[in-house]
Amino acid sequence: MYGLCDCNNFFVSCERLFRPDLVRQPVVVLSNNDGCVIARSNEAKALGIAMGVPFYQIQSLVQRNGVVVFSANHELYGDISRRVMATLRSLVPGTEIYSIDEAFFELDGIDGSPDLFGHRIGRTIRRDTGIPVSIGIAPTKTLAKVASKLAKRYPRLEGCCYMHRPEDVRKVLARFPIHDIWGIGRRYGRMFDTMRITTALEFVGLPEEWVRRRMGIAGVRTWHELQGEACIPFGEMAPRRQQITVSRSFPRELFALDELEPVVAQFAASCAEKLRGEGSLCREVRAFICTNPHREEAPQRQETGLVLRADPTDSTLELVRQARAALRQIYRPGFGYKRAGVLLSDIVPAAECQHSLFASVSDRTRNERLMKTLDRVNRTFGRGTLVVAAQGTEPFRTQQGHLGRRYTTQWDELPVVKAE
DNA sequence: TCTGGGGTCCTAGGACCC
DNA sequence: TCTGGGGTCCTAGGACCC
């Protein structure tokens, strides 16, 4: 059996934690630059606010209905996520963190019925963190996802759905929309629409060979998983990341290389910090820039520049230099750039790295000490305290007109229980 | 006026190897 | 006249996830 623990409307639930006055209110959380809706309370969903809709398109709806709006506050969400995951970990034999608001868990060797066990997990997380969750338990990961959605949908299940008997699974799949199955995205969804296939059970009724031809091996896996044959194993250890990206859209278009360079340098520095956080080194540095694809009348351009290193590194100095070199390869004047980013790849663990024969060992140890100090200074005194000159003096900011407080990670933003 | 960000995996085709 | 066979690696593009 596989369990899935899924936080309900996670970002909204985080914002509500210290604002109980928002509990029955419609609430939405926006993406960077206050661009799109990325989380909605049930009340906001009921108003017809869709996932991913551009904020400007719902402005009047928001005003008419008194929808409470927040800019994304990832520092808060990350901290609350760690608390939820830690609580879950203390209750189950093993966990696999799948995303900021979801984790699979094992049930091997638990006492009593999985159903009671699941309900206890839900109640405990709610009590200890304040975050409501939905629990699904089933013979495969894909079915556990289905079960957690049922737990969310039907209040009488009280937050947990245990689904295991084949005849029960069949009954559920007969009414479950194929669009909502894990692994079926927009593209396959449209394909099934044209075939008049609407339920998961109809999909399961297709011949395996057809599924393989049209959807590849991933589709076949989904097809088996829905029939109770587990194909996606439990993975407790997060595999080392294969790439690290930092990219942002800009509040306005940038035209000049002078404006892009410090921004790209900052993205590279963030990438380097993440890289060191994983204990890794990298050999490939890419920088990319693109114009605004929504402005169809404007000249469009989208390019990626690549710099390869002979010797893998985690040095902010080196990676910033190479990201700027990659940017200069691709930059052309006369375009309004709306988004840029830096991507690190060919990532290797620092401990097992084969260095170049000609690389200097003393340079490497000096870099290690320098980076350790850089990270310590920035951890102690705040991000951006110590930067490479190429990053400039102006930290990159996105538009955040509705930012809430970082209640749990900043001393001066702690919730006030009683004012003096 | 205003449209996010960070990932993974699979597949097909071409270059290249012996 | 007749022109092999079996591989690997890399990349771009497309699908998916949250």
Side-chain angles (χ1 to χ4, degrees), chain A residues 63-84:
Chain A
Q63 272 157 23
R64 268 202 317 278
N65 296 281
V67 177
V68 180
V69 176
F70 286 98
S71 302
N73 185 351
H74 291 292
E75 197 170 315
L76 174 68
Y77 311 151
D79 187 57
I80 302 303
S81 172
R82 277 188 291 278
R83 297 170 187 220
V84 170

Side-chain angles (χ1 to χ4, degrees), chain A residues 65-347:
Chain A
N65 296 281
V67 177
V68 180
V69 176
F70 286 98
S71 302
N73 185 351
H74 291 292
E75 197 170 315
L76 174 68
Y77 311 151
D79 187 57
I80 302 303
S81 172
R82 277 188 291 278
R83 297 170 187 220
V84 170
M85 298 306 175
T87 307
L88 177 64
R89 209 174 293 128
S90 73
L91 298 168
V92 300
T95 56
E96 176 195 338
I97 296 176
Y98 180 67
S99 73
I100 194 164
D101 70 341
E102 269 177 70
F104 290 101
F105 60 88
E106 289 177 309
L107 295 107
D108 300 342
I110 58 149
D111 293 331
S113 87
D115 191 42
L116 290 176
F117 184 69
H119 278 100
R120 198 170 78 231
I121 292 171
R123 277 196 310 272
T124 309
I125 291 176
R126 179 71 198 249
R127 185 194 68 199
D128 292 3
T129 69
I131 298 295
V133 299
S134 299
I135 307 282
I137 299 174
T140 71
K141 281 183 165 181
T142 306
L143 288 174
K145 286 278 241 180
V146 170
S148 79
K149 289 194 182 186
L150 297 184
K152 198 165 296 192
R153 195 170 305 163
Y154 299 112
R156 62 180 168 80
L157 294 173
E158 298 179 329
C160 174
C161 171
Y162 171 47
M163 180 172 89
H164 63 294
R165 287 204 313 252
E167 59 270 31
D168 292 341
V169 171
R170 246 187 118 71
K171 258 184 243 161
V172 166
L173 296 188
R175 302 187 47 193
F176 201 86
I178 184 64
H179 287 92
D180 297 344
I181 293 289
W182 191 40
I184 306 298
R186 241 202 311 271
R187 183 65 210 287
Y188 291 142
R190 276 202 301 271
M191 176 179 80
F192 289 129
D193 285 344
T194 63
M195 296 170 65
R196 303 260 190 280
I197 285 182
T198 57
T199 69
L201 191 65
E202 288 170 287
F203 167 63
V204 163
L206 292 167
E208 179 171 352
E209 184 43 43
W210 184 95
V211 175
R212 172 175 294 279
R213 229 178 28 247
R214 297 292 296 270
M215 304 172 69
I217 189 73
V220 175
R221 249 180 238 142
T222 301
W223 186 80
H224 281 290
E225 284 245 324
L226 286 173
Q227 295 171 76
E229 301 162 52
C231 306
I232 308 172
F234 189 81
E236 185 144 10
M237 276 293 297
R240 192 172 291 270
R241 277 195 281 186
Q242 297 177 30
Q243 60 179 56
I244 290 174
T245 317
V246 172
S247 75
R248 293 285 180 279
S249 295
F250 310 136
R252 62 183 177 91
E253 293 176 350
L254 302 184
F255 287 82
L257 186 59
D258 285 357
E259 289 189 294
L260 285 166
E261 275 202 342
V263 170
V264 164
Q266 289 179 40
F267 296 166
S270 303
C271 281
E273 206 181 303
K274 289 189 191 181
L275 187 66
R276 291 193 294 276
E278 299 238 312
S280 299
L281 308 176
C282 82
R283 268 199 206 88
E284 296 181 357
V285 186
R286 287 178 169 80
F288 60 87
I289 44 178
C290 33
T291 50
N292 186 349
H294 301 291
R295 281 191 53 192
E296 283 168 21
E297 77 292 354
Q300 295 287 315
R301 194 177 142 76
Q302 181 179 349
E303 287 295 333
T304 302
L306 167 64
V307 172
L308 294 171
R309 298 180 44 86
D311 199 41
T313 191
D314 64 3
S315 159
T316 295
L317 306 181
E318 290 286 306
L319 294 171
V320 164
R321 187 172 327 168
Q322 272 125 33
R324 294 174 77 207
L327 172 66
R328 275 183 236 122
Q329 285 171 20
I330 52 173
Y331 173 79
R332 297 283 176 279
F335 294 91
Y337 296 103
K338 181 68 175 160
R339 199 163 92 89
V342 171
L343 192 154
L344 307 182
S345 50
D346 199 350
I347 289 173

